[in-house]
Amino acid sequence: MTDDARADGSDADLSGGGTEADDARLEALTGDGPDGAPVVALDASALMAPVEANLRLFEELDRLLGGYDAVVPTAVVSELDRLQGGNGAEATAASVGADLAGRAEAVATDESYADDALVELVTEGRIDGVVTNDRPLANRVLEAGAPVIGLRGRNALAITEP
């Protein structure tokens, strides 16, 4: 997502700054994790953001959500593996992303395409939200009824509700 823009194209401050509205946004992400924490799925763009957008991904998730459980579909891991085989900045970002994916639980889906795997996790109710900077994916996740956590500003994350 671009600076100050929601995936649906409207502008809103979703920075989780502690207001009642921010608290209500976090309610959408109260979760089904083993400890009651929200379960969020990470896509390749989120995992590559530390290199591409100078984002401290897990620190930002901690700031925004407090406790959470992170998962990564195996299709996303495969996408990162494929991308890191190339050259240049994208390969470097994918290599870092693949390393960061190890901090999350890998989950299997029936889908082999990463975006479809993330939407499957949403529609099956296996996750509470998706972390992505991919606008088309964000729109699909929102349409499926789950919140999206994406880049807002230069290096902060924000929640967009469906």
Side-chain angles (χ1 to χ4, degrees), residues 34-92:
D35 54 0
V39 179
V40 295
L42 308 171
D43 93 326
S45 68
L47 289 162
M48 293 168 64
V51 172
E52 295 179 336
N54 195 30
L55 175 72
R56 295 181 174 275
L57 178 63
F58 290 100
E59 287 179 24
E60 270 299 295
L61 286 170
D62 289 342
R63 178 194 63 79
L64 189 63
L65 301 175
Y68 63 92
D69 295 315
V71 299
V72 177
T74 55
V76 169
V77 174
S78 296
E79 179 182 4
L80 290 168
D81 289 344
R82 181 181 49 79
L83 290 172
Q84 68 180 325
N87 293 317
E90 184 179 60
T92 300

